[in-house]
Amino acid sequence: IPDLERTDVQGLLNHLQDANAVKFQWMKRRIVQMWPKWQAAISSLKNKKDLTKTVQKKVLIHIGLLANENKLHFAEEAGKGGPLGELVQWSDVITSLYILGHDITVTADLAAIQKALGNVVAKKLCPQKLPNDIDLVYVDYIGLRELNSKIGTLLPQFLCKLRVVDSFGTEAQFNFNLYKEKIDGGSMGAYGRYNLNLRQYQTMFPHSPDNTFLGFVVNVKPLENTDKKMRRKAKALVYGKHYSMWKDLPNKTFLEVVNRYLEVHATVGGGSASEVSSHLPSFVINHGVVTPMEVQKLLNESMVFVGLGFPYEGPAPLEAIANGCFFINPKFNPPRSRLNTPFFKNKPTLRLFTSQHPYCEEFIGKPHVYTIDVKNVSEVERVMKEIMLKEVDPYLPFEFTHEGMLERVNALVQHQDFCYQNHWPPLKALITEKGGAGKSCKDVCLAKGMVCEPEFFNSINSRTSLIEHGFPCNTSRLEEVPSLIAPGFRPEPAACIVQTQALMFSCTGTSPSTMRLCPCRKYKKGQVALCVDC
Ligand code: U2F
């Protein structure tokens, strides 16, 4: 039975202990600051859903990126312009699991996780003694690699319990360890090849339907009328909290255009004041890296939040839109990916980034988001003129609210089970669609207002199913192969393709000559990870 009466934040903070007090400092502050919102969200969810029937899970959480603080400096850099997206997500995942009443253990060093795992024998997990009372293990790629190399090869009974928190997503060809074809881009080295169910990779945004959208939450302060007036006083806030994000900008002219209309503010750190300011145009009013509360205040006073092209897919643009700003989202043409961009070179995905923030581009769009080529000064000028004449209301998709996250995490923890192959979402949600040649199932489903649901691939993976959906498979040759585009039909020479390797099912796989049969499902409005009746 879950403990659903956790009203005291101290109970959660007690779980975040480490000899190095800095490790959890930023996360603890976020948790304390958001605690009243979490409390309101769980009360609201309890009114809508009977949570007393849910099952309490024993959950181990290992934050690998903090366990390597001496090399990676995530915690130390948190207040100096270093990456915070990951700390945002970990804080929110931990808080969700705690508030939903689960029995959690949080570790951020190798010795601590070894202890938490219990029966670890001389660098190897002893199969007979595997701690079988642990239901779920949340870890990141860094932690997973470390477990594997320092503790020993992970056993199937343990692997199926993993949930790998993975910002940018992992595709089938990077996960299946016997994938034979050459993959363009960088190495496979650091990531991938774990043969997990792809839905065990849990992402920050709903960008990879093969994986699970886990998410995070966005802080909103309701706008007062006076704020709206202040906004007219016209500030722009630039998205870029480390001077390195400004240093390599090919062209800062567009900021000059913005500055013709608005005062340009920023929160940039990463070095001494003189080092930082040497990389900023002189008209930029720099506040230095500030606390999340101060970011929110600046956003409340700003009219527009301006992307520089990096960082990719962070939380900040959602915060800006939720606090009533327009977001100028730099468009990438050609799109960026592991084929042409060092940042993505070794990431386990071939996903194409058509802008700095694809979620804002695809899921939010106008009137909140302007995805434009910022090198094109006249386009920036046109957009600024348009923005100056407009008002926009704050907007936050439900899936990024505290309640939205609790609803989603609750559903995932209760229903996803990769050890006993529990089938979820239920098959009744399956809607099968035929795709045109060269189209991925992600695109085929999206074009019909749905999402690709990998859980259902198995149910449509047969000659019979291909025939039922109009492919001439009673007369064509049958190819039974491991394939990223199965099930599907290739007209020339005519062949029906059926999958023989479940780890190769892929929502994103395409071939110019093949039409795919796709497992789609509808989703709850504002909560893409869930379907209406599941
Ligand atoms: C992304 O990580 P970032 O940390 O660079 O993402 P941001 O969108 O900049 O913001 C993270 C948080 O930092 C806060 C802001 C956000 O909640 O309110 N913040 C702050 O506290 N003080 C400031 O002065 C400015 C911002 C992404 F999330 C990661 O997954 C990627 O690894 C990384 C690189 O692409 O980008």
Side-chain angles (χ1 to χ4, degrees):
I1 297 169
D3 176 2
L4 290 162
E5 300 305 326
R6 291 178 169 167
T7 49
D8 182 8
V9 69
Q10 195 54 46
L12 172 53
L13 299 182
N14 290 343
H15 286 279
L16 304 178
Q17 303 288 348
D18 193 276
N20 174 357
V22 178
K23 273 192 192 174
F24 289 118
Q25 204 173 54
W26 194 92
M27 289 170 57
K28 281 181 168 174
R29 274 197 205 128
R30 176 173 172 91
I31 290 168
V32 170
Q33 187 245 315
M34 285 193 166
W35 192 250
K37 296 258 178 70
W38 285 112
Q39 288 299 321
I42 189 76
S43 304
S44 170
L45 189 64
K46 278 196 235 168
N47 286 338
K48 293 176 194 158
K49 201 173 167 60
D50 182 6
L51 294 176
T52 56
K53 299 223 172 66
T54 58
V55 179
Q56 187 191 47
K57 307 270 173 154
K58 193 167 161 67
V59 187
L60 186 57
I61 300 158
H62 179 62
I63 310 177
L65 62 90
L66 289 180
N68 287 275
E69 184 57 17
N70 49 350
K71 276 192 239 142
L72 301 173
H73 312 291
F74 266 84
E76 194 195 313
E77 292 295 316
K80 304 179 192 164
L84 290 173
E86 287 77 0
L87 298 185
V88 163
Q89 191 177 27
W90 275 119
S91 311
D92 299 350
V93 170
I94 291 169
T95 312
S96 299
L97 291 166
Y98 180 78
I99 292 228
L100 287 165
H102 298 293
D103 172 6
I104 64 165
T105 303
V106 184
T107 72
D109 88 349
L110 193 63
I113 188 163
Q114 278 179 311
K115 194 161 158 250
L117 279 169
N119 312 294
V120 171
V121 185
K123 290 200 161 200
K124 277 212 155 72
L125 276 174
C126 181
Q128 312 84 300
K129 289 189 181 172
L130 193 81
N132 57 13
D133 60 335
I134 293 174
D135 296 302
L136 289 170
V137 181
Y138 283 81
V139 67
D140 48 15
Y141 258 126
I142 298 170
L144 181 56
R145 196 164 67 228
E146 205 169 53
L147 281 183
N148 225 1
S149 69
K150 305 236 173 85
I151 297 185
T153 305
L154 300 171
L155 299 160
Q157 319 72 309
F158 181 77
L159 280 175
C160 61
K161 298 181 175 180
L162 291 177
R163 301 294 180 265
V164 184
V165 174
D166 163 24
S167 306
F168 298 102
T170 297
E171 290 182 312
Q173 55 273 54
F174 299 90
N175 174 55
F176 178 44
N177 73 348
L178 297 178
Y179 187 75
K180 293 278 189 323
E181 284 161 46
K182 182 180 175 305
I183 304 175
D184 293 332
S187 77
M188 290 291 304
Y191 306 98
R193 299 296 194 226
Y194 287 104
N195 275 357
L196 301 183
N197 185 310
L198 281 179
R199 279 172 291 153
Q200 287 176 262
Y201 297 100
Q202 313 234 322
T203 58
M204 191 132 160
F205 286 93
H207 45 56
S208 301
D210 291 299
N211 305 144
T212 299
F213 165 49
L214 180 62
F216 61 95
V217 305
V218 169
N219 230 353
V220 199
K221 179 173 160 273
L223 274 184
E224 316 275 333
N225 277 339
T226 46
D227 289 333
K228 280 200 173 171
K229 282 203 198 97
M230 277 178 66
R231 186 183 307 280
R232 290 280 131 207
K233 267 183 31 196
K235 283 181 188 169
L237 185 64
V238 179
Y239 181 22
K241 60 181 149 43
H242 196 280
Y243 72 81
S244 60
M245 297 166 187
W246 298 67
K247 201 169 81 176
D248 304 324
L249 264 189
N251 181 343
K252 294 187 185 102
T253 327
F254 83 95
L255 288 182
E256 286 165 19
V257 178
V258 175
N259 189 232
R260 259 186 253 143
Y261 296 84
L262 303 167
E263 221 174 67
V264 177
H265 291 246
T267 62
V268 195
S272 66
S274 59
E275 196 177 0
V276 171
S277 66
S278 70
H279 296 290
L280 309 185
S282 55
F283 55 80
V284 174
I285 302 165
N286 184 21
H287 301 254
V289 177
V290 297
T291 64
M293 286 312 282
E294 286 166 295
V295 173
Q296 199 173 17
K297 186 166 175 290
L298 279 169
L299 289 171
N300 275 166
E301 295 165 3
S302 300
M303 218 171 141
V304 53
F305 191 57
V306 185
L308 293 175
F310 189 85
Y312 305 117
E313 268 181 347
L318 288 195
E319 294 168 5
I321 295 164
N323 286 290
C325 295
F326 294 99
F327 172 46
I328 294 189
N329 181 28
K331 184 192 268 180
F332 301 148
N333 190 13
R336 295 189 190 170
S337 71
R338 62 180 264 136
L339 305 183
N340 61 11
T341 304
F343 181 85
F344 295 117
K345 192 169 170 223
N346 297 323
K347 299 262 185 292
T349 179
L350 282 159
R351 191 153 67 91
L352 300 177
F353 280 67
T354 48
S355 65
Q356 181 175 2
H357 211 291
Y359 179 86
C360 286
E361 181 184 357
E362 291 160 20
F363 285 77
I364 302 183
K366 276 192 176 176
H368 310 274
V369 181
Y370 286 81
T371 300
I372 57 167
D373 175 8
V374 294
K375 289 196 283 324
N376 182 342
V377 175
S378 51
E379 199 174 351
V380 180
E381 187 93 50
R382 181 185 60 73
V383 164
M384 286 311 299
K385 280 195 179 122
E386 195 176 315
I387 285 176
M388 295 308 289
L389 297 173
K390 278 192 176 169
E391 287 262 356
V392 71
D393 284 327
Y395 173 66
L396 180 63
F398 177 71
E399 57 204 2
F400 288 100
T401 64
H402 295 78
E403 189 178 343
M405 178 139 185
L406 288 177
E407 177 188 57
R408 183 172 62 253
V409 171
N410 179 53
L412 298 177
V413 168
Q414 293 302 313
H415 300 300
Q416 278 193 330
D417 187 333
F418 305 107
C419 295
Y420 301 100
Q421 301 305 330
N422 172 37
H423 293 295
W424 185 84
L427 198 55
K428 63 176 184 207
L430 166 66
I431 297 176
T432 311
E433 291 287 343
K434 264 167 76 176
K439 291 270 180 267
S440 73
C441 284
K442 178 180 174 179
D443 292 339
V444 170
C445 299
L446 217 60
K448 300 265 176 175
M450 296 186 281
V451 281
C452 174
E453 176 48 74
E455 166 65 27
F456 303 146
F457 266 122
N458 225 1
S459 312
I460 60 166
N461 180 44
S462 64
R463 182 179 227 162
T464 326
S465 211
L466 286 161
I467 294 169
E468 263 172 31
H469 293 92
F471 290 117
C473 292
N474 26 13
T475 51
S476 315
R477 195 167 63 87
L478 183 68
E479 269 181 25
E480 291 178 298
V481 285
S483 167
L484 294 170
I485 45 163
F489 174 70
R490 193 177 52 232
E492 280 299 322
C496 287
I497 306 160
V498 167
Q499 183 70 274
T500 54
Q501 172 51 261
L503 290 171
M504 290 277 278
F505 279 128
S506 162
C507 289
T508 56
T510 59
S511 154
S513 55
T514 306
M515 300 164 76
R516 303 197 55 186
L517 191 64
C518 298
C520 306
R521 68 162 166 82
K522 293 184 184 160
Y523 55 86
K524 266 180 94 164
K525 198 169 176 298
Q527 184 71 283
V528 70
L530 307 181
C531 41
V532 183
D533 302 322
C534 27

